[in-house]
Amino acid sequence: MGKSRSGKRKAKEVEEPELSDSSDMAEMDSQPIALVVNEPKKTKRNDADSDASFLGKPIPQSEAAERWPKRYLSKVKAKKGELSGEKKESGTEEEVTQAKFHYTQALVDGVVYDLNDDAYVKAEDDKPDYIARIIEFFEAVDGELYFTAQWFYRAEDTAIKDLRDHSHILDKRRVFMSEIKDDNPLDCIVSKVKIAKVSPNMDLVAKEKNLPPCDLYYDMKYTVANLTFSTIDPVSKPDSDTSSTISSESGSNNLGDDERNQTSKKSEMTLLDLYSGCGAMSTGLCMGASLTGVKLVTRWAVDFNADACQSLKLNHPETEVRNEAAEDFLSLLKDWEKLCMDFKLLGPHQSQDQDACLESVEVELDKNEDNTSDSEDTSLSSEEFEVQELLAICHGDPNKLGSKGLYFKVRWKGYGSDEDTWEPIDGLSTCQDKLKEFVTKGYKRNMLPLPGDVDFICGGPPCQGVSGFNRFRDKTAPLKDIKNSQLLVYMSIIEYLKPKYVLMENVVDILKFSEAFLGRYALGRLVTMNYQARLGMMAAGSYGLPQFRMRVFLWGAQPSEKLPQYPLPTHEVVERGVVPTEFEEVLVGFNKNEQRHLEKALYLEDAISDLPPVENDESRDERPYETLPRTEFQKYIRLKRSDVVGYENSSPQSPQKAMLYDHRPLQLNQDDYERVCQIPKKKGANFRDLPGLLVGPDNVVSRDPAVESVQVSSGKLLVPEYALNYVRGKSTKPFGRTWWDETIGTVVTRAEPHNQIIIHPEQDRVLSVRELARLQGFPDFYKLSGPIKQRYMQVGNAVAVPVGIALGYTLGLASQGLSDDQPLTTLPFRFPKCISSSERLER
């Protein structure tokens, strides 16, 4: 990704290290990768048949020395990138080729080239020619003739790379201007190419319609150092006067002069949380945005898990929470827009190119029907029932009859709520007034978003097909795996609603599995939709939690908006895990020589030592604290809802006395409970401390033949076979105790101690739901719903709240135009102190 384009003979090129095998990962380093300097490959362009020379008189020496001062300092080495004004990591130097003369024109194989012309440049054998803008012609002091190239990148040259059978989404004529500039022999130029500069636009159809005659076009720049696609700033572009520039009209829907949108957008930003779980990601984002003065409101949330939806609604009653599959939600959005059009709630607008696989349902209404209300209909037969009102809408199969479509929940006249039914729309063709009433009310209260309604979409589409636990992973075509299909759905919803901002979260494996295909696809799909985009990897522990938890985050922003930055770490972190070698440059952290002022890493004791003891069979969902906080973390995590930023005026009333919720563990069965009771209460204790075991020099555990096997009361072995065989007998995780001065690698979704370290340091039980929720940064007032195993799953699937807060803060800055073009920014606060609304007012 960072290599030079040229076939130059003397100049050096910059290359990234080759991608190692996925199984050969280096240990995590908190520093971005440093580029290394290697000799380039030579091309066959430099031969005796080439004809290259400069035309006209040289540029006067005084003018040339002023424009390119480094070229005229004899025997001087300049820091790499200094010539182009770029900041580079200290310690890497490259010799600047000294010039005798500069020129404005050159003749190569009978073709005249001017400064700022675009050209194909000879690449290595069997590779397509490179593409460059000529920004300098000069004769070196040794008589060699050079040109300086500013390189364009094809999509396949960027982090997107090869999308295999999905490459059709990439426009082969589209290239990206990079910041990479270097010197090349003049005879490497092959031919001219006409490249048009295009104003970025969300409407791809309009762009195609207005594209002038050209070979290629560009509308974004690609920053190699941090894998960022961003809008080109016309003010700072040196070629703005020489490029062909076009613009196209906005392709967003014209929804008419609608007060509901005009009013809400002035006072707040609207958020759609897809794959929302219990709402941790959107909760953190809203809290972080509020720290910048931006009111971000989670207006809609969608998740397939009913218990997670109930938890979100319990904590965010203002949110329209939908318990349905994301693909059904996408179909419903299309149905809803058509209903609004049929009832003339929308103004005329252009049809959209959705590229979605799901078809919109045709709503058939009798336009010639009399305007007689259902209550006045006297033609009902004895077998027909009268509709009192429509209560809800969905796209799916609510009656479990194997027939998907658009359905309405009906309250029948003369019947109670127990008799409500889901009816298909074609069965309500005589209820036009009721349909219109329902749709009109829903439209006015923004029950469902229409294109243009959503400012921000966040979500973590599950990609379970990349998991190492999936033995049947398809490495050749990951998107054909049904377990990865939600990535397609997520992008299709973005394409339909066209929000201003997008944030996708996922596991690091999407940058490891199958040559990072899923990560590249997500990045490429956003770019093809004309979103600016950048990748980043963030560790939750770097933002004030006692767990590591590395995750990938992908920002997207429309061309007219500032692309949000990634927040730099605020805390030291105990590193646990690996990162893909090829993507180390997007690991969010400080450079090696950069000054940092980080808080000390947090440990388990900092987060949970104040919580009262509970037994293995604890069943209370709420109880008094009965203890006082012992650390700053505990003080702030205990704040009441009304005292937390973003919640000052929220609906659920805080109780007079602070209560502790969800402090109950998964109840272990009798066998496991007996095993846990025998694990010593000491640091590092696990099943290997049980009697009757030997640990060999190869760290493999086995049974001691000289000791009689110990059993639990049921007659089963105290040390089960699965513990001995886990990771070929080398693991120390089964029945492992956590300890006060340690951190957790990653809070997971299951609380069984069979293959993980999850036993409390001093109590004979697994860590409780609340204890794990604290390790994820949930405020103590955040209640969870559902069976105990479901609550663990909700906590384990959540995006750590302080990570959401940090990202919400950078979103708030970007939405106000306060971000710069750098990928990273420093946070002015530390978690958890930042969640206090009173201290925010004091600042």
Side-chain angles (χ1 to χ4, degrees), residues 794-812:
Q794 291 169 39
V795 171
N797 282 331
V799 171
V801 173
V803 174
I805 292 174
L807 290 167
Y809 179 82
T810 62
L811 170 74

Side-chain angles (χ1 to χ4, degrees), residues 446-470:
N446 277 354
M447 181 178 70
L448 287 166
L450 293 162
D453 283 352
V454 183
D455 293 311
F456 182 26
I457 290 180
C458 72
C463 295
Q464 297 162 334
V466 307
S467 171
F469 294 103
N470 180 8

Side-chain angles (χ1 to χ4, degrees), residues 3 51 377 397 509 599 714 789:
K3 65 174 63 175
D51 181 13
D377 191 349
D397 183 19
D509 278 349
E599 300 287 334
S714 68
K789 287 188 176 181

Side-chain angles (χ1 to χ4, degrees), residues 663-678:
H663 185 39
R664 46 180 294 203
L666 173 70
Q667 184 173 353
L668 302 172
N669 61 44
Q670 186 61 32
D671 291 345
D672 284 345
Y673 178 66
E674 291 181 25
R675 291 165 178 145
V676 167
C677 287
Q678 294 198 44

Side-chain angles (χ1 to χ4, degrees), residues 40 48 212 279 319 345 365 701:
T319 301
L345 298 172
L365 295 171
V701 67

Side-chain angles (χ1 to χ4, degrees), residues 299-336:
R299 185 66 62 81
W300 310 274
V302 180
D303 198 274
F304 189 69
N305 186 293
D307 294 312
C309 286
Q310 182 60 36
S311 293
L312 197 155
K313 191 68 176 178
L314 186 65
N315 293 279
H316 299 280
E318 73 283 359
T319 301
E320 187 77 34
V321 182
R322 299 197 63 87
N323 174 213
E324 59 196 345
E327 55 267 33
D328 290 338
F329 178 68
L330 175 57
S331 292
L332 178 60
L333 294 179
K334 298 176 183 179
D335 296 339
W336 183 249

